[in-house]
Amino acid sequence: MSNLIPVDQIQTMALSIAKSGLFGVKTPDQAMALMLIAQAEGMHPAIAARDFHIINGRPALWGDGMLAVARAGGMKVSEKIEGDGDGAVARCIATRP
């Protein structure tokens, strides 16, 4: 991301995300912190709601966000699902370049 989003616009987004009850964010302050982290990492602040979650009071990359960061860093990622139904096991293998 090449254009920085002004802090007042991030605050407005943070309020909306916190009010929505989506994404596991409970307060505007949590949303704001995640959005500032995302912007510092070169992502659009709104991506923070999708890719980061608060786990034990700390921001953590989550699911597809972690995969996107790995791939953007040049890692080769393969996914494999073994078995069916409730007994299925998913494996993800990441290989550094």
Side-chain angles (χ1 to χ4, degrees):
M1 187 180 88
S2 60
N3 297 336
L4 293 178
I5 306 299
V7 172
D8 63 323
Q9 290 181 23
I10 295 174
Q11 286 174 322
T12 300
M13 288 186 277
L15 285 170
S16 295
I17 286 171
K19 283 182 183 179
S20 76
L22 301 172
F23 313 112
V25 174
K26 295 182 171 121
T27 68
D29 288 339
Q30 284 181 345
M32 184 74 175
L34 289 177
M35 296 174 107
L36 291 171
I37 290 168
Q39 183 154 278
E41 293 287 334
M43 295 181 248
H44 189 281
I47 297 299
R50 182 192 70 191
D51 291 353
F52 286 88
H53 286 252
I54 304 292
I55 300 173
N56 293 327
R58 299 184 67 194
L61 266 172
W62 180 261
D64 290 340
M66 192 178 305
L67 184 59
V69 169
R71 285 188 170 145
M75 294 186 99
K76 294 184 181 183
V77 180
S78 63
E79 303 167 46
K80 184 177 181 181
I81 299 176
E82 301 167 350
D84 294 313
D86 290 341
V89 175
R91 299 188 192 285
C92 179
I93 300 168
T95 307
R96 288 187 240 181

